[in-house]
Amino acid sequence: MHTITLNGETDFDGWRKAARLLAMNGVAPEDVTWRVADGDEPELFPATLDVPLQEMRGTFNVPAHFVDLAQHVILHRNPERFALLYRMLWRLRSNHDLLQLSTDADTSKLESMAKAIRRDEHKMHAFVRFREIGREPQSHFVAWFEPEHHIVELAAPFFARRFADMAWSILTPDLCAHWDGHDVSFLPGVDKSMAPSSDRLEETWRTYYASIFNPARLKTKAMQKEMPRKYWRNLPEAGLIKPLIEKAERVTSEMIAAEAQEPKKPQRREDAMARSHSIAPTEYPDDTSLAALRDEAADCRACALWKDATQTVFGEGPKHASVMMVGEQPGDREDLAGKPFVGPAGQMLDKALKEAGIIREKVYVTNAVKHFKFVPRGKFRLHQKPATPEIKACRPWYEREKALVKPELVVAMGATAAQSVFGKIVPVGKTRGRVIDLDDGTRVLVTVHPSYLLRLPDEEARATEYANFVEDLRIVAAHLSEKARAA
Amino acid sequence: MDVKRKLEILADAAKYDASCASSGTEKRDSRDGKGMGSTDAGMGICHSYAPDGRCISLLKILLTNACNYDCLYCVNRASSNVTRARFTVDEVVQLTLDFYRRNYIEGLFLSSGIIRSADYTMEQVVAVARKLREEHHFRGYIHLKTIPEADDALIAEAGKYADRLSINIEVPDEGSLKNLAPEKDVRAIRRTMGRLRLKLDEAREGAKPTPRGRTAPRFAPAGQSTQMIVGADSANDATIIKTSANLYGSYHLKRVYYSAFSPIPDASRSLPLRAPPLMREHRLYQADWLMRFYGFDPDEIVGSESGMLPLDMDPKLAWALRHRDRFPLDVNRASREDLLRVPGFGARAVQRIIETRRISSIRVGDLAKLHIPRNKALPFIVLPDHRPAVHLLDSAQLAERFKPKAKQLGFAF
Ligand code: SF4
């Protein structure tokens, strides 16, 4: 039988040194007794070994996770911890995967002990309450805390990071931590009487605690689960818990029984809070009638699409643009920004316009359907194609926009846009790339939607289709320059 | 009026907001000795708990409880007779610093009644955060409530100082918002959420390391959240869950908080007074988890005609009872996705199962070590030493087994 005496309750290095030596000498866990030196004893390890152990060279491997686990578990108050850790170390040498086996009794026990330590550390971070001695800037903040386990050294760095600019001390029965603005030092535990018993802010804090509590939702079990009673002793607000609970039921029933108020006439409201529906000051100051139309469309409820979307995405561009480009519907980014063609498809369009020699700011850009249609999938919104009733419901907005802008050429991008512009389903493939005159005098050019280009999987097809798209836009460009010459 | 009295009024006015988290922001500390405070990148810290079971991690107050609006569910509405108070910017700053130094709180959650204009109110709220950060170098957590339709520059500044921004959607159904809060405009709320998401996306993109360094300014690293009041209108749970799914998907909210409508003092006659549906609120939080962490589709969570979640069992159990044909499941073989659907199997337990079963097969005796409640799970699973009786899964009594015994809500002293 070997007796190992460690230097203190949290002597991880001593344990580690002894455990390595024991294991390399093949000493079975049942043949070891672990103890902690009580203050006055000189350092005893390894003098009490019954059989001298060979100091051996070399080392052996354990999973990295074990070291972290052991460093936590050793802080537990359970006196069995040193033996349990040594048994685990012993077993790990022949079964390297043991720590992944949550169903193993030792693994499970170590995990729950480590969890208790982390929880206690977390509670210490939360429930330490400093009391001020003296007044700033000369003040010293002192707390009294009674941790469940030996966690003072583990928890102290947190306070050093947080309260670097003030002098503080945390006193506990086991060990005290002191911060001087540069380093944390540890001194032996003290008695509670050493700690200050009040603070000038405590009454204010208790006022806050009492006021933030909603008596209509008493849930004392939930409270106790997170703030176990063992911590209450040192929380200035805990004394309020009992009276608050007692009062709660009375207050709530009085509140429910009370005669409800006849709604008072609210005072003013018109002045500053008159809500403006305008989305952003428009960059085209002369389009008052378009702005009015935009405001009207912001409240459109003609189909169900408005419901799930953020906002109506109305068209944008100069009032008398000679070209009006019509897309399908806003996408994710357009929906958030409230502007058409600002997402990936918009960037594609910008690029193609530039290549065709068209200045985007000179064309009017809008969509056939003005709300984003989608289904939510976790953090994403999957774009959905608008259905015919939605295209029809939204068509009047397009028509009214067109009537105000009076473009000479409408560019319908994609099937949805074509359906809206022609008022019926038309195949994009067949009509694409030539200017068609409608009965009402509108001239229309049909092409693909830029998002179609984004969806093409293979690079070559994308390059070809993109080139075709730019070709179509050159027809628009030619139209524009013809117009410029005529002018 | 002294600060303590103001605190009493303005904390009381803030207690109906359910948000409390101080988590998910960037890591900061004050080791440079220039200021005070720290935050963790992961978990926040709850410094206390109120007898209502809710965590107290922040100084949660209103700047003022005076408000131009008249939202019926709100104790601060213009027509209510509550005592009004207003903090100065300096008072809030001092209170935050004093409380923080004593380790009472993780930081500040500042909201406000709407006074004068959206911009004026937002400017006041931002002024507090600016002073804390710039003059006092406060490194703790700051959560600011965004006022809908406030000027873009103010929103950008708020995001520069705050860890989190939020804006409450209020009630799940737009129609009822019109009745309950005539001045509020759900479209404006959504537009603001949309603007916040664009700014959050931009900051995230800009935060990616590039040769030129960070390109976008910091913006609310802990993201945005919202709150929905449950039970003040007639919207059912299916509507609420659908609204949440939409909000998560559209604006990438970190959290949707559900707040059971609570009886308020000086209530308006237009609202029925009753005890808050706390269990309903709890079930909604569970449903929200199923959606976010367990791969459930919003449409499959509520299975009843009424569109309501059962109150007497959790929504995952209720789902399993509706899909008995998918059980029993062999724990040692089933996929992660399927395991996540077994009643009583938490995400952590599923992770442990997957690690463990590579090495050794899982038996009934192991369930306790995996922290899985036996009674709840056993009817749905197969283990080498367990197979549920065939008739059990089919029997009508199965549901009854899980209903809680009537229990007394007490508090032992
Ligand atoms: S999609 Fe068009 S018709 Fe439907 S609500 Fe929106 S603006 Fe109105």
Side-chain angles (χ1 to χ4, degrees):
Chain A
M1 191 43 114
H2 301 271
T3 301
I4 307 292
T5 303
L6 299 174
N7 276 330
E9 296 286 355
T10 61
D11 182 11
F12 179 74
D13 290 336
W15 174 85
R16 185 182 192 160
K17 208 168 126 203
R20 189 195 293 134
L21 195 63
L22 290 164
M24 292 181 79
N25 278 281
V27 180
E30 3 354 323
D31 296 332
V32 187
T33 307
W34 298 83
R35 61 183 292 268
V36 173
D38 46 30
D40 328 319
E41 280 174 81
E43 189 178 337
L44 294 176
F45 171 81
T48 48
L49 294 184
D50 298 352
V51 187
L53 294 178
Q54 298 290 314
E55 201 45 79
M56 289 199 207
R57 305 191 125 263
T59 175
F60 57 90
N61 278 331
V62 291
H65 171 53
F66 178 70
V67 179
D68 180 59
L69 190 70
Q71 275 171 331
H72 277 87
V73 168
I74 209 153
L75 308 179
H76 204 281
R77 266 195 218 276
N78 185 339
E80 303 292 313
R81 63 193 184 280
F82 307 113
L84 180 61
L85 282 170
Y86 182 56
R87 186 161 75 233
M88 194 49 151
L89 181 76
W90 180 261
R91 293 181 62 205
L92 274 171
R93 297 178 71 193
S94 55
N95 184 355
H96 206 76
D97 291 334
L98 202 53
L99 286 179
Q100 268 130 63
L101 203 63
S102 295
T103 51
D104 179 84
D106 286 344
T107 301
S108 159
K109 177 96 198 177
L110 287 177
E111 272 179 9
S112 63
M113 285 167 83
K115 191 173 162 199
I117 295 302
R118 279 189 286 266
R119 186 172 155 88
D120 200 32
E121 182 198 13
H122 194 70
K123 294 301 179 199
M124 180 163 168
H125 292 163
F127 298 149
V128 155
R129 299 280 181 265
F130 286 112
R131 285 172 164 155
E132 187 180 26
I133 299 176
R135 282 300 281 261
E136 281 181 84
Q138 253 71 55
S139 52
H140 191 114
F141 287 84
V142 182
W144 171 253
F145 193 70
E146 292 162 78
E148 191 173 351
H149 301 290
H150 302 286
I151 55 160
V152 176
E153 292 149 290
L154 180 69
F158 164 84
F159 295 97
R161 287 193 300 274
R162 171 160 292 189
F163 301 109
D165 75 336
M166 69 190 207
W168 55 260
S169 298
I170 301 173
L171 313 180
T172 89
D174 302 315
L175 195 68
C176 301
H178 302 276
W179 171 257
D180 58 5
H182 303 283
D183 293 296
V184 189
S185 52
F186 296 97
L187 290 169
V190 295
D191 187 77
K192 186 174 182 175
S193 59
M194 303 286 286
S197 55
S198 65
D199 181 278
R200 68 187 167 89
L201 252 291
E202 241 152 59
E203 247 338 276
T204 313
W205 169 241
R206 285 155 58 88
T207 300
Y208 175 65
Y209 183 81
S211 313
I212 202 69
F213 157 59
N214 183 350
R217 342 176 10 125
L218 212 51
K219 264 181 155 179
T220 50
K221 275 210 187 107
M223 170 191 66
Q224 286 207 78
K225 189 167 161 267
E226 300 297 340
M227 192 166 69
R229 299 168 76 106
K230 64 182 178 219
Y231 297 110
W232 290 15
R233 246 176 311 164
N234 300 312
L235 295 173
E237 66 271 26
L240 293 172
I241 295 174
K242 197 174 171 191
L244 281 175
I245 292 169
E246 283 165 358
K247 220 175 109 191
E249 292 203 11
R250 188 162 43 81
V251 171
T252 309
S253 48
E254 277 171 16
M255 212 149 59
I256 294 177
E259 187 72 10
Q261 279 285 313
E262 197 56 57
K264 246 192 338 193
K265 255 259 155 307
Q267 315 97 347
R268 78 81 265 132
R269 207 163 319 131
E270 311 71 67
D271 52 270
M273 295 320 294
R275 282 195 319 272
S276 87
H277 272 290
S278 66
I279 297 161
T282 164
E283 292 109 75
Y284 312 101
D286 63 331
D287 69 347
T288 45
S289 46
L290 265 176
L293 193 62
R294 169 202 296 265
D295 276 0
E296 203 186 323
D299 288 326
C300 179
R301 304 285 187 264
C303 75
L305 292 187
W306 66 273
K307 243 185 148 126
D308 289 339
T310 302
Q311 55 196 318
T312 307
V313 180
F314 202 70
E316 242 183 34
K319 182 173 180 186
H320 294 300
S322 61
V323 172
M324 179 164 173
M325 307 205 65
V326 186
E328 183 186 35
Q329 63 154 341
D332 184 67
R333 292 189 68 85
E334 286 81 8
D335 169 81
L336 299 173
K339 289 166 174 290
F341 286 99
V342 291
Q347 279 156 22
M348 178 69 90
L349 177 65
D350 286 353
K351 184 166 164 245
L353 283 172
K354 208 167 175 188
E355 217 160 298
I358 300 167
I359 299 163
R360 156 124 181 212
E361 288 67 36
K362 292 213 164 157
V363 295
Y364 189 91
V365 188
T366 191
N367 281 302
V369 171
K370 299 202 174 4
H371 273 108
F372 181 29
K373 184 179 180 182
F374 64 94
V375 283
R377 274 288 162 276
K379 277 203 152 200
F380 299 95
R381 301 194 281 182
L382 293 186
H383 165 278
Q384 302 271 290
K385 223 176 139 47
T388 296
E390 289 146 359
I391 299 173
K392 278 195 177 145
C394 217
R395 190 164 184 246
W397 294 120
Y398 154 72
E399 291 191 314
R400 292 171 68 185
E401 269 176 308
K402 194 182 68 171
L404 285 171
V405 177
K406 300 192 191 72
E408 284 162 42
L409 183 66
V410 172
V411 183
M413 299 183 285
T416 300
Q419 187 179 345
S420 184
V421 169
F422 288 92
K424 60 175 190 213
I425 296 174
V426 289
V428 174
K430 279 192 201 151
T431 40
R432 168 171 191 180
R434 54 195 160 85
V435 176
I436 299 164
D437 291 305
L438 295 188
D439 294 345
D440 65 357
T442 314
R443 309 186 73 201
V444 184
L445 176 80
V446 178
T447 183
V448 295
H449 196 276
S451 65
Y452 157 76
L453 306 171
L454 289 170
R455 283 196 300 269
L456 288 173
D458 108 79
E459 192 122 355
E460 207 175 308
R462 215 174 324 140
T464 324
E465 282 301 318
Y466 177 74
N468 291 343
F469 182 54
V470 174
E471 269 321 299
D472 290 345
L473 294 183
R474 286 196 210 281
I475 302 173
V476 180
H479 169 90
L480 280 171
S481 59
E482 202 174 291
K483 194 189 151 240
R485 258 199 311 279
Chain B
M1 199 184 277
D2 71 348
V3 171
K4 213 170 114 210
R5 175 76 183 123
K6 287 188 188 178
L7 180 63
E8 197 175 334
I9 295 167
L10 294 168
D12 189 272
K15 72 187 175 197
Y16 303 98
D17 202 301
S19 12
C20 67
S22 54
S23 54
T25 190
E26 63 199 355
K27 207 177 164 82
R28 296 191 296 268
D29 63 46
S30 53
R31 268 178 303 185
D32 61 3
K34 210 173 151 202
M36 168 185 45
S38 64
T39 52
D40 225 316
M43 246 195 304
I45 296 177
C46 297
H47 287 260
S48 195
Y49 289 83
D52 53 21
R54 297 197 286 185
C55 146
I56 299 176
S57 90
L58 302 168
L59 170 61
K60 176 157 60 175
I61 45 172
L62 299 189
L63 196 56
T64 173
N65 64 339
C67 190
N68 290 335
Y69 285 7
D70 207 40
C71 309
L72 293 187
Y73 50 78
C74 180
V75 66
N76 305 317
R77 67 187 187 285
S79 64
S80 142
N81 289 318
V82 291
T83 314
R84 308 286 172 173
R86 179 174 173 179
F87 275 128
T88 65
V89 168
D90 286 329
E91 282 167 344
V92 176
V93 167
Q94 198 52 51
L95 212 46
T96 307
L97 296 173
D98 278 344
F99 276 11
Y100 198 87
R101 275 208 189 288
R102 286 158 182 79
N103 202 40
Y104 299 160
I105 52 168
E106 283 294 285
L108 172 69
F109 174 13
L110 187 61
S111 175
S112 181
I114 298 183
I115 43 170
R116 281 207 235 165
S117 70
D119 282 351
Y120 176 77
T121 309
M122 192 73 216
E123 166 55 35
Q124 293 293 301
V125 167
V126 169
V128 172
R130 185 193 303 123
K131 193 152 203 171
L132 276 169
R133 291 280 196 243
E134 309 231 298
E135 283 179 32
H136 298 277
H137 302 281
F138 176 67
R139 316 272 161 82
Y141 196 90
I142 299 182
H143 177 161
L144 298 179
K145 180 119 305 157
T146 313
I147 312 297
E149 305 259 61
D151 188 81
D152 218 51
L154 284 169
I155 301 266
E157 207 188 351
K160 180 173 151 201
Y161 302 125
D163 292 286
R164 172 167 290 180
L165 295 173
S166 65
I167 174 165
N168 288 352
I169 193 84
E170 312 295 2
V171 288
D173 182 77
E174 166 152 14
S176 41
L177 188 68
K178 279 231 157 62
N179 298 327
L180 295 174
E183 289 94 342
K184 282 210 173 131
D185 173 2
V186 80
R187 293 293 116 184
I189 294 170
R190 278 175 165 274
R191 281 199 295 276
T192 304
M193 286 182 173
R195 279 200 288 167
L196 292 180
R197 201 200 111 191
L198 283 175
K199 288 199 160 67
L200 287 164
D201 285 358
E202 213 177 279
R204 194 165 320 114
E205 291 293 308
K208 280 188 195 143
T210 66
R212 283 170 299 138
R214 229 182 129 88
T215 54
R218 172 191 191 274
F219 192 84
Q224 64 167 326
S225 64
T226 194
Q227 162 170 298
M228 220 181 315
I229 299 167
V230 174
D233 67 353
S234 59
N236 64 22
D237 293 342
T239 307
I240 293 171
I241 292 166
K242 201 170 160 257
T243 303
S244 291
N246 175 301
L247 296 173
Y248 281 122
S250 300
Y251 312 116
H252 298 179
L253 298 179
K254 278 280 159 62
R255 286 284 298 275
V256 173
Y257 290 94
Y258 305 95
S259 176
F261 172 69
S262 180
I264 47 172
D266 196 35
S268 159
R269 187 171 280 178
S270 333
L271 265 190
L273 277 172
R274 59 214 139 164
L278 294 182
M279 184 48 90
R280 186 177 173 205
E281 176 191 289
H282 180 61
R283 294 294 180 232
L284 283 166
Y285 275 116
Q286 290 176 319
D288 189 277
W289 273 74
L290 291 185
M291 213 158 45
R292 287 154 62 214
F293 304 111
Y294 289 75
F296 279 74
D297 235 34
D299 309 327
E300 60 181 336
I301 294 172
V302 184
S304 61
E305 290 278 306
S306 64
M308 295 299 278
L309 293 164
L311 291 176
D312 55 6
M313 64 176 75
D314 72 72
K316 198 209 257 185
L317 178 58
W319 177 88
L321 289 170
R322 290 198 306 274
H323 295 87
R324 299 180 196 205
D325 53 310
R326 295 177 59 157
F327 297 99
L329 214 61
D330 185 339
V331 172
N332 288 296
R333 255 176 262 277
S335 69
R336 178 191 299 268
E337 291 69 42
D338 284 345
L339 287 175
L340 283 170
R341 293 191 172 231
V342 178
F345 281 36
R348 180 111 180 80
V350 168
Q351 186 53 36
R352 284 200 166 114
I353 287 171
I354 288 171
E355 280 172 18
T356 303
R357 71 186 188 184
R358 276 190 219 127
I359 304 163
S360 107
S361 81
I362 292 160
R363 310 175 76 83
V364 175
D366 298 328
L367 295 180
K369 291 185 209 111
L370 295 161
H371 306 288
I372 291 169
R374 273 168 75 103
N375 288 343
K376 204 175 200 177
L378 281 179
F380 300 97
I381 56 175
V382 170
L383 297 164
D385 54 348
H386 163 80
R387 174 166 279 280
V390 184
H391 63 268
L392 183 61
L393 259 183
D394 296 329
S395 81
Q397 276 98 53
L398 184 56
E400 287 309 311
R401 254 175 81 135
F402 299 112
K403 307 238 163 116
K405 315 264 171 308
K407 60 167 183 260
Q408 212 181 330
L409 292 168
F411 186 64
F413 255 90

